[in-house]
Amino acid sequence: MRLDNKEIFKTLNPNKVWVPVAIGLGIVFLMFYLDPKVNAQTLKGVFDASVGGVLLALLFILMRDAGYVYRIRKITDEKLTWVRAIYVIILWEFASAVTPSIVGGTAVAVFILHKEGIKLGKALAFVMLTAILDNLFFVIGAPIILYLAKGHIFPDTRMMELRLGTSIQYLFWISYSLYAIYTIVMSAALFYRPRVFKWILMKIFSIKWIRKWKSNANDYGNQIIEASETFKDKNYKYWLSVVGATVFIWSARYLMLNALISAYKSVDMFGHIIIFARQIIMWIVMMVSPTPGSSGTAEFFFAQFFAEFLPGYTFVTSILWRLLSYYPYLILGAIFLPKWIRQVFFKKGNRKNK
C-alpha cells in the first residue's frame, strides 16, 4: 500500500469539520421548515428526556469507545499503550466522520497505525482484520435479528419507497449480499488461501481493458500475502478477545439509541428488539451515503425508521442522537490531531536528531 502523506492530511484536516456540520444543520433546518408538526414547542421537548435514560445512553457510548480501545490493543498484540490506543481510535473516528461512509478511512487508519510505530504490512493486516470483524458482525447478526424482529424490521412508510419501484427491503438485501460476498472473499484471502487470491486477481486484471491496473493488483496481492502471515500463529485467546470485543462494540453502539428512545417513551422488550434490528438497516443506509459521516442522511432517515416509537419527540431525539454519537468525534479529532502530529512527527524527529 502506498501512503500519500498529502492525501492523508487532506482527510486529517481540522478544517473539514465544518463540512459535515453544515450539511447536518442544513438538513435539520430543512426538516424543521418542511414539517408542520415541528415548531418551537417541539424543540422544547428535548428537556422532557429522563436523566436516567440519557445517562445510560452516554454510558453505552463510553462502553463502545472503551471496546474500540481494548480491541485495537489486542489486535496489535498490545504494541500500543492505552494512551496511544486512545489517540488512534479518536483519529480513526475523526477520519470516518469527515469522509463519506461509502469511501471509508482504511488508508488513514493504516497511516495512523504506521506512524505509531507499527510496520506498514502489519498495520494493513490489523486494519483489514477490524473491517472483516465488523462486517462479520453484520453478516452473521443480521439474519438472527431479522428472525427475532418477526417481520417488523422494515418501517411501513411511503417515504422509504425508491423511485425506481424497488423498496428499502430490496436495497437492504442487495447491500447485505454485497457485504457478505466481500467479507467471505476477504476472509478466505486473509486467513485461508492468500496466494490463490493473488492468482485469481492477476488473472482478472490480465483482461485487456483493465490491464493497466495489473501492477496495482499485483501489489495488493502481495500485501494480502504479507498480511496473512501476521495471523498465522495467533491462539484461540487472541481470537476470542477480538471477536468478543467486536460483539461488545456493536451491541453498545446500537443499545445507545435504545436507551435514548426509552428516555422519552416507554418501550417493551419486543420494541427494543425492533429498534435494535432497524439500526442494522440504518447502518446499511448510512454506509452508502455520499456525505461525510452520513451527515444529513442519518438525520433524515432516522424519522422514517423510529417515528412510531417517538410520537412528538422524533425530531429532537434525532438531533440529540447525532449530538451524542457523531459530533463529539469531530470536536475531539480537531483537538487531538494537532497534538498527535507534534508527538509523532516533531518529537520523534527531534529524538532522531539527538
Side-chain angles (χ1 to χ4, degrees), residues 49-70:
S50 68
V51 175
V54 174
L55 289 177
L56 184 59
L58 289 171
L59 177 61
F60 280 125
I61 292 173
L62 292 175
M63 289 168 62
R64 186 197 75 166
D65 291 341
Y68 273 131
V69 172
Y70 172 83

Side-chain angles (χ1 to χ4, degrees), residues 146 151 153-157 160-162 166-176 281:
L146 283 168
I153 190 171
F154 297 105
D156 184 17
T157 169
M160 299 300 290
E161 294 297 322
L162 303 178
T166 56
S167 64
I168 192 65
Q169 292 96 316
Y170 183 73
L171 175 62
F172 168 77
W173 286 114
I174 289 294
S175 301
Y176 176 85
I281 311 298

Side-chain angles (χ1 to χ4, degrees), residues 33-330:
Y33 178 76
L34 295 177
D35 192 344
K37 298 178 182 178
V38 179
N39 50 45
Q41 189 63 36
T42 305
L43 295 178
K44 292 179 181 178
V46 71
F47 300 107
D48 293 342
S50 68
V51 175
V54 174
L55 289 177
L56 184 59
L58 289 171
L59 177 61
F60 280 125
I61 292 173
L62 292 175
M63 289 168 62
R64 186 197 75 166
D65 291 341
Y68 273 131
V69 172
Y70 172 83
R71 186 176 70 168
I72 197 63
R73 285 199 79 228
K74 286 296 180 182
I75 283 177
T76 59
D77 293 313
E78 300 186 359
K79 294 289 193 302
L80 300 172
T81 65
W82 287 106
V83 172
R84 302 320 302 170
I86 290 170
Y87 268 93
V88 167
I89 293 304
I90 288 175
L91 295 177
W92 198 336
E93 288 292 298
F94 174 75
S96 299
V98 296
T99 54
S101 301
I102 198 170
V103 174
T106 300
V108 175
V110 173
F111 174 81
I112 294 168
L113 287 175
H114 183 49
K115 291 303 178 183
E116 286 291 341
I118 295 173
K119 291 181 180 180
L120 185 59
K122 285 193 172 184
L124 176 62
F126 296 147
V127 172
M128 285 183 64
L129 178 59
T130 60
I132 289 172
L133 289 172
D134 289 339
N135 287 344
L136 278 174
F137 177 86
F138 170 74
V139 170
I140 296 172
I144 297 172
I145 202 70
L146 283 168
Y147 173 77
L148 294 175
K150 298 178 182 178
H152 295 278
I153 190 171
F154 297 105
D156 184 17
T157 169
R158 291 185 179 181
M159 288 292 290
M160 299 300 290
E161 294 297 322
L162 303 178
R163 291 183 177 181
L164 295 176
T166 56
S167 64
I168 192 65
Q169 292 96 316
Y170 183 73
L171 175 62
F172 168 77
W173 286 114
I174 289 294
S175 301
Y176 176 85
S177 300
L178 291 174
Y179 271 103
I181 293 168
Y182 171 81
T183 303
I184 291 169
V185 170
M186 293 313 299
S187 297
L190 193 60
F191 304 120
Y192 186 56
R193 288 287 187 270
R195 295 186 186 279
V196 173
F197 174 77
K198 181 188 174 182
W199 181 83
I200 294 172
L201 207 61
M202 296 307 295
K203 288 294 182 183
I204 292 172
F205 280 88
S206 295
I207 298 172
K208 186 176 180 180
W209 56 85
I210 58 173
R211 194 176 297 162
K212 63 179 179 179
W213 293 294
K214 188 174 181 179
S215 177
N216 290 339
N218 182 64
D219 290 342
Y220 185 65
N222 289 334
Q223 290 161 11
I224 293 294
I225 292 171
E226 183 182 356
S228 69
E229 295 294 324
T230 305
F231 304 112
K232 273 190 173 181
D233 300 322
K234 303 300 181 189
N235 58 32
Y236 75 95
K237 290 182 180 179
Y238 176 89
W239 294 112
L240 281 177
S241 63
V242 297
V243 170
T246 301
V247 174
F248 178 86
I249 288 164
W250 282 93
S251 297
R253 176 192 286 268
Y254 289 161
L255 288 171
M256 176 268 176
L257 182 55
N258 284 67
L260 196 58
I261 289 175
S262 62
Y264 285 98
K265 292 290 183 179
S266 178
V267 182
D268 60 20
M269 181 56 69
F270 185 63
H272 277 296
I273 291 173
I274 296 173
I275 292 169
F276 192 97
R278 286 188 179 178
Q279 289 179 76
I280 294 176
I281 311 298
M282 274 285 291
W283 186 70
I284 281 292
V285 173
M286 292 167 69
M287 283 301 291
V288 299
S289 171
T291 60
S294 300
S295 293
T297 306
E299 289 85 350
F300 174 77
F301 281 103
F302 180 93
Q304 311 307 319
F305 282 100
F306 304 110
E308 66 184 86
F309 299 100
L310 291 160
Y313 293 103
T314 306
F315 185 74
V316 294
T317 308
S318 69
I319 296 173
L320 189 57
W321 171 57
R322 292 292 274 176
L323 283 175
L324 294 177
S325 64
Y326 174 68
Y327 291 105
Y329 299 104
L330 294 175

